Amino acid sequence: MSINVLETEWWTLQLPPEWWAEAEDESILIGDRDDVGCIEVSTLHKELGDFDAAEVAHIAAEESDLDLAWEKVHLGDFVGVSAAFLEDEAAIREWYVARGGMLLYITYSCEAEQQGLDDAAVDEILATLAVLQGSPSRAK
């Protein structure tokens, strides 16, 4: 099985051949060819300093309209929090993860009746997140 590497200006991740990726405005969309669900990744950069764990957790809590049970998570080179919930007949998973001065906001969504079908694949994909050499966050 061949693996495709998605490379942005600041980070990379590995995609199995049955997954596709495309840039859209300020984010990257990633989906499986079976159209079960879609991952969206947005990258934010802090002008000065680094994101710490408390700040990432605070941002997640502030940005969410729901009172979610955020859990600590490691995704490749990134550390942060994750939560899952159902909303408007959709199953949604969210991650706020940081490395140095870079914060990734990641969502995965699918129809509620398909909840869990792609969870293992999504977890494997996100576990390959790596900061690129030369990124301002690389040395952290």
Side-chain angles (χ1 to χ4, degrees):
M1 168 159 77
S2 67
I3 298 293
N4 301 313
V5 176
L6 168 64
E7 185 172 309
T8 71
E9 183 177 2
W10 304 108
W11 52 267
T12 68
L13 59 74
Q14 297 176 6
L15 297 176
E18 65 272 13
W19 288 72
W20 53 265
E22 65 183 46
E24 185 172 284
D25 294 328
E26 299 293 317
S27 63
I28 304 292
L29 294 178
I30 303 164
D32 68 356
R33 299 200 191 282
D34 294 337
D35 289 328
V36 171
C38 188
I39 301 169
E40 185 172 357
V41 184
S42 300
T43 306
L44 301 151
H45 294 277
K46 198 174 199 181
E47 287 191 33
L48 295 172
D50 295 338
F51 289 100
D52 63 30
E55 186 175 14
V56 172
H58 178 76
I59 291 168
E62 288 290 312
E63 292 295 319
S64 178
D65 294 335
L66 305 171
D67 185 21
L68 299 175
W70 294 97
E71 297 180 8
K72 292 182 182 179
V73 65
H74 286 73
L75 301 179
D77 289 342
F78 294 80
V79 177
V81 294
S82 175
F85 57 96
L86 293 172
E87 183 177 67
D88 298 327
E89 298 182 31
I92 301 170
R93 297 173 71 194
E94 290 185 331
W95 297 263
Y96 288 83
V97 293
R99 169 70 177 238
M102 182 175 16
L103 175 74
L104 301 183
Y105 170 58
I106 305 168
T107 61
Y108 170 79
S109 61
C110 65
E111 293 180 15
E113 64 261 11
Q114 295 179 329
Q115 181 178 14
L117 291 179
D118 276 347
D119 283 359
V122 169
D123 292 345
E124 286 179 25
I125 289 167
L126 295 180
T128 68
L129 270 167
V131 176
L132 280 175
Q133 290 291 94
S135 166
S137 300
R138 183 63 192 169
K140 304 299 175 207

